[in-house]
């Protein structure tokens, strides 16, 4: 056996060695962790939290974004195909869009995108979980071709109106934004600028403090159901550009708004027909997997309501039949 003094010395040396090993590996791990965490720290962001477009490409439809932006590889990404509705609607669904007229806005045209900023109005809506939230609109972006598709159908372009949650509402999880997508399409009735919803925006020319009747232009052109309601789909997703934060409640308007051939030719000159931009691809991110998410449809008579009234109608007939027999 070692003498007690030598044993104490050995334990002290072992402790020092263990401490040095822990320090070395701890610093290495911390450094690696810092490097991993800061993979997006070398990028610049605009005032709305988007990475500036010059720092990424649409050449592969965003497939390579996950290398630099980890959020872009998560499970609740946008855009998606609005295919089969995986959640039934309910009578508590709310979609109260309040766009405003005579607004002042700024418009920027560039080879990477068209976007406008301003105070465009408000939205009060329930998400897929039935939670009512209020938002204010402050940004729109135009993508061509469309990023979302409806039952597999893509459109010539997509107008995305972004909202931030109102301070008086508490976000559920990290859902601090809402976005409404309006599909844009040319057809035989939209060959002139006079019938295009984009004409009043003056796309093709940068605008500073321009005025616009935003509600009349956009909300007034939304196709309505026979009952006079806005038909839409809602799901939980992300920003469609880096950093792809999963903070958005999406509302996709059913149907398309008209644009002119002149509008489409201009957008094509920026993206699809421009070989220097993303090898001729559009500024639209490729569709992402739905995974286990729910899509709800709003603005329609809910199935449970129909069943209820139909059952009541049948009961009414039987009651009248038996009364008639008794008489």
């Amino acid at each position: 056996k070692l003498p007690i003094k030598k044993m104490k010395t050995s334990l002290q040396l072992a402790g020092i060695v263990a401490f040095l090993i822990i320090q070395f590996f701890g610093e290495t791990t911390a450094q690696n962790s810092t490097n991993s965490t800061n993979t997006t720290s070398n990028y610049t962001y605009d005032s709305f939290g988007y990475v500036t477009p010059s720092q990424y490409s649409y050449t592969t439809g965003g497939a390579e974004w996950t290398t630099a932006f980890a959020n872009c590889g998560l499970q609740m990404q946008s855009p998606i195909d609005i295919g089969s509705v995986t959640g039934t609607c309910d009578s508590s669904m709310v979609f109260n869009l309040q766009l405003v007229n005579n607004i002042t806005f700024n418009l920027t045209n560039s080879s990477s995108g068209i976007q406008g900023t301003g105070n465009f109005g408000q939205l009060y809506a329930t998400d897929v979980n039935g939670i009512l939230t209020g938002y204010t609109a402050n940004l729109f972006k135009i993508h061509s071709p469309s990023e979302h598709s409806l039952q597999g159908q893509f459109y010539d372009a997509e107008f995305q109106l972004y909202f931030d949650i109102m301070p008086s509402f508490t976000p559920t999880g990290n859902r601090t934004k809402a976005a409404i997508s309006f599909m844009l399409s040319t057809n035989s009735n939209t060959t002139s600028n006079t019938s295009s919803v984009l004409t009043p925006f003056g796309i093709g020319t940068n605008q500073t403090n321009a005025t616009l009747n935003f509600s009349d232009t956009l909300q007034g052109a939304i196709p309505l159901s026979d009952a006079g309601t806005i038909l839409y789909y809602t799901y939980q997703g992300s920003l469609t550009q880096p950093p792809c934060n999963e903070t958005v409640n999406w509302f996709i308007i059913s149907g398309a708004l008209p644009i002119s051939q002149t509008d489409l030719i201009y957008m094509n000159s920026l993206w699809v027909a421009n070989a220097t931009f993303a090898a001729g691809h559009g500024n639209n991110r490729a569709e992402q997997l739905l995974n286990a998410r729910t899509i709800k449809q709003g603005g329609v008579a809910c199935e449970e309501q129909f069943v209820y009234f139909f059952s009541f109608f049948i009961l009414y007939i039987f009651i009248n039949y038996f009364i008639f027999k008794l008489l």
Side-chain angles (χ1 to χ4, degrees):
K1 295 182 180 180
L2 290 172
I4 293 177
K5 186 175 181 180
K6 288 185 178 181
M7 186 178 294
K8 286 183 178 178
T9 303
S10 299
L11 289 173
Q12 288 173 346
L13 289 173
I16 292 171
V17 172
F19 174 79
L20 291 174
I21 291 173
I22 291 172
Q23 284 292 100
F24 174 77
F25 284 103
E27 288 179 3
T28 303
T29 302
Q31 183 65 41
N32 290 339
S33 175
T34 300
N35 291 339
S36 175
T37 302
N38 292 334
T39 53
T40 61
S41 64
N42 294 326
Y43 294 89
T44 57
Y45 297 77
D46 64 20
S47 59
F48 294 96
Y50 290 93
V51 176
T52 51
S54 60
Q55 300 172 98
Y56 58 89
S57 170
Y58 281 98
T59 303
T60 63
E64 80 283 5
W65 295 351
T66 56
T67 303
F69 309 100
N71 285 349
C72 297
L74 297 179
Q75 297 298 303
M76 301 180 73
Q77 290 291 290
S78 298
I80 62 170
D81 172 51
I82 304 298
S84 58
V85 178
T86 53
T88 59
C89 69
D90 58 67
S91 58
S92 66
M93 290 181 74
V94 174
F95 184 80
N96 183 5
L97 180 60
Q98 303 173 5
L99 301 183
V100 295
N101 282 325
N102 196 29
I103 57 106
T104 299
F105 76 104
N106 300 316
L107 180 72
T108 303
N109 297 264
S110 71
S111 59
S112 57
I114 300 173
Q115 74 173 42
T117 58
N119 297 315
F120 300 118
Q122 301 174 332
L123 171 69
Y124 295 90
T126 49
D127 62 15
V128 292
N129 298 313
I131 299 172
L132 178 66
T133 308
Y135 308 89
T136 54
N138 52 26
L139 173 72
F140 69 77
K141 291 175 173 284
I142 299 177
H143 296 268
S144 180
S146 68
E147 296 198 300
H148 290 86
S149 60
L150 298 176
Q151 287 77 48
Q153 179 183 353
F154 288 92
Y155 292 82
D156 293 322
E158 182 174 339
F159 186 106
Q160 297 174 351
L161 182 60
Y162 285 90
F163 300 74
D164 285 329
I165 191 170
M166 294 178 180
S168 56
F169 287 84
T170 302
T172 302
N174 58 348
R175 300 288 159 185
T176 59
K177 294 181 180 292
I180 300 178
S181 273
F182 303 90
M183 301 302 164
L184 306 177
S185 178
T186 60
N187 56 49
S188 59
N189 296 320
T190 57
T191 55
S192 69
N193 281 339
T194 58
S195 56
S196 170
V197 295
L198 293 182
T199 298
F201 289 93
I203 68 167
T205 305
N206 291 342
Q207 309 280 346
T208 302
N209 294 327
T211 58
L212 174 68
N213 287 332
F214 195 74
S215 178
D216 291 346
T217 299
L218 198 63
Q219 191 166 352
I222 298 175
L224 302 178
S225 69
D226 293 338
T229 60
I230 296 176
L231 302 176
Y232 67 96
Y233 301 90
T234 182
Y235 77 98
Q236 293 183 326
S238 71
L239 302 176
T240 65
Q241 296 171 234
C244 308
N245 296 342
E246 294 184 339
T247 56
V248 187
N249 286 316
W250 280 94
F251 300 89
I252 313 299
I253 303 299
S254 180
L257 279 58
I259 61 172
S260 70
Q261 290 291 340
T262 302
D263 297 325
L264 184 58
I265 290 171
Y266 172 69
M267 289 186 286
N268 284 346
S269 71
L270 294 176
W271 308 312
V272 175
N274 181 3
T276 63
F277 177 83
H281 291 80
N283 70 332
N284 58 320
R285 187 188 188 189
E287 286 187 338
Q288 307 297 299
L289 295 175
L290 178 63
N291 295 318
R293 284 178 284 179
T294 295
I295 302 174
K296 277 192 173 183
Q297 186 176 18
V300 296
C302 295
E303 182 179 347
E304 56 266 33
Q305 292 175 319
F306 172 78
V307 171
Y308 171 79
F309 287 113
F310 182 75
S311 300
F312 181 81
F313 177 71
I314 296 297
L315 179 62
Y316 174 79
I317 291 176
F318 273 106
I319 290 174
N320 278 275
Y321 172 77
F322 285 114
I323 290 175
F324 176 78
K325 293 290 286 185
L326 290 173
L327 296 176

